[in-house]
Amino acid sequence: MTALTWIGSLWYWFANCTGPIYLWMTSKVDDRWMVAAACLVSTLAMMLASITNAVWQLYLTQGVLSGIGTSLCWFSCMRAPQQWFNKRRGLAVGITMSASGVGGLVLNNLANGCFRTIGYRWALRIFGFFDLVFLAIAAVTCFRLNPPAKNVPIVDVQDWKNRRFIILFLIHFVGNFAFYVPSGFVPTYAEYMDMDSWIKTNLSAIMSAMMVVGKIGLGFVSDYIGRFNMAVICGIMACIAHLCVWMTATSEGSMWAFAVLYGLFGGGYIAMITAVIAEVVGVDRIDSGTGWAFFAWSWGGFAAQPVASAIIESGGGDNFTGAIM
């Protein structure tokens, strides 16, 4: 289990690690060319992954190469709505980030169906063609609001003079050590509890669906009650869902409850801590602030699932309570 989790962890780290230098990169090359490069690299990664024969080869293809491809387009997607919207920024960011929930809802069942019918090699090739088509559309339609800044340093450290930003950076760093654990281990926990295979498959799908609701719905509400306030509410409720619902879950109903609650408030949490970046660093420094914040975010994505897996395996493969805590 631990060896396999490193594939996703490597992908997640490389998908976010270019944050501090992305502004410098886009000052040299237009966003649409960055997304076009992402289209080619991501497609190549999936195609190469389809011909692998060992786990270490998946580290390089589906982990490193696919992660780099994602990173080339990820920050354009994250910074654009914060540039184009002000009054409805919480809703705009929520809608943008809800796409990851839609993807999880649709692709989870699609992947399982492909694995059963045509095998994993052609399944990966199909996802490679998805990358090719949809990222090509994104490259053609990617317009940024403001012209690129001039004389951008390779690494901009000006945000580190802002104490509030340092606190936000630490929140991003710590928070993601919890955020992506449920998506990876809820199906494993359902299997450990000997639940029906249909439930194992669809718990993640339901969680993804509720993340769409949470990111959009709570993002809309945050424009009225305050984005900081909503971020705190979502963080508290996500914690309660972990400790009071998942950790005590012994039935299918309690697992459904956790998937719904965590999808709603966990999704709202990630949208809100992204939406408040502009309020902390100022609209003119959104690009740099977003890059640094998601660089902090990347470390939890890199280490959280392998750490959780190691905790589970330390108890003979059943120490889920330790991982949940």
Side-chain angles (χ1 to χ4, degrees):
M1 184 192 299
T2 303
L4 292 174
T5 58
W6 282 108
I7 300 170
S9 296
L10 283 167
W11 173 87
Y12 197 90
W13 191 82
F14 278 96
N16 290 277
C17 70
T18 59
I21 64 170
Y22 195 86
L23 184 59
W24 173 78
M25 293 167 65
T26 52
S27 71
K28 307 297 182 183
V29 181
D30 190 78
D31 285 65
R32 63 181 55 202
W33 292 110
M34 297 290 287
V35 180
C39 176
L40 298 177
V41 174
S42 296
T43 302
L44 177 64
M46 288 296 99
M47 296 305 178
L48 291 176
S50 72
I51 59 174
T52 56
N53 295 292
V55 173
W56 69 266
Q57 296 169 354
L58 288 173
Y59 290 166
L60 298 178
T61 55
Q62 205 167 352
V64 176
L65 193 60
S66 180
I68 292 172
T70 302
S71 187
L72 293 174
C73 63
W74 171 245
F75 290 102
S76 291
C77 297
M78 288 302 98
R79 70 183 188 152
Q82 298 189 72
Q83 288 184 347
W84 284 90
F85 294 88
N86 183 18
K87 183 178 179 181
R88 301 294 186 192
R89 184 177 293 127
L91 176 60
V93 172
I95 291 174
T96 303
M97 302 196 76
S98 71
S100 61
V102 174
L105 176 63
V106 175
L107 298 182
N108 187 55
N109 284 295
L110 181 60
N112 286 328
C114 289
F115 291 154
R116 289 195 304 268
T117 55
I118 60 177
Y120 80 92
R121 295 187 186 278
W122 270 104
L124 289 172
R125 289 166 192 153
I126 287 173
F127 284 106
F129 285 120
F130 281 175
D131 284 341
L132 179 65
V133 172
F134 289 111
L135 284 173
I137 295 172
V140 172
T141 57
C142 181
F143 294 91
R144 61 184 174 196
L145 176 62
N146 302 316
K150 304 297 183 182
N151 301 318
V152 177
I154 295 178
V155 178
D156 189 345
V157 296
Q158 186 174 335
D159 292 318
W160 290 94
K161 300 175 183 178
N162 182 341
R163 293 181 180 179
R164 295 207 306 165
F165 176 75
I166 294 174
I167 294 173
L168 184 63
F169 182 91
L170 294 174
I171 290 171
H172 274 259
F173 180 82
V174 173
N176 202 29
F177 276 88
F179 183 80
Y180 277 102
V181 170
S183 62
F185 290 95
V186 160
T188 308
Y189 184 81
E191 184 176 2
Y192 167 70
M193 296 297 292
D194 199 27
M195 296 180 183
D196 185 83
S197 59
W198 183 88
I199 294 174
K200 291 186 294 184
T201 300
N202 285 279
L203 277 172
S204 293
I206 292 298
M207 193 181 299
S208 295
M210 293 309 299
M211 283 187 178
V212 175
V213 176
K215 290 172 181 176
I216 297 177
L218 298 181
F220 175 77
V221 174
S222 75
D223 290 327
Y224 293 93
I225 70 170
R227 294 159 199 145
F228 280 104
N229 296 334
M230 183 56 75
V232 172
I233 292 171
C234 290
I236 291 172
M237 291 303 297
C239 180
I240 290 173
H242 266 89
L243 299 180
C244 298
V245 183
W246 190 11
M247 195 163 70
T248 62
T250 57
S251 65
E252 296 175 359
S254 54
M255 288 305 298
W256 287 122
F258 174 74
V260 170
L261 284 172
Y262 190 71
L264 182 65
F265 291 105
Y269 170 79
I270 187 175
M272 287 305 96
I273 62 170
T274 303
V276 301
I277 293 172
E279 298 182 28
V280 172
V281 301
V283 176
D284 58 330
R285 295 200 57 80
I286 286 176
D287 294 342
S288 176
T290 301
W292 277 113
F294 278 91
F295 176 72
W297 193 250
S298 70
W299 293 98
F302 176 70
Q305 289 197 2
V307 169
S309 177
I311 293 172
I312 293 169
E313 292 184 334
S314 69
D318 60 358
N319 188 18
F320 282 91
T321 299
I324 292 167
M325 292 178 66

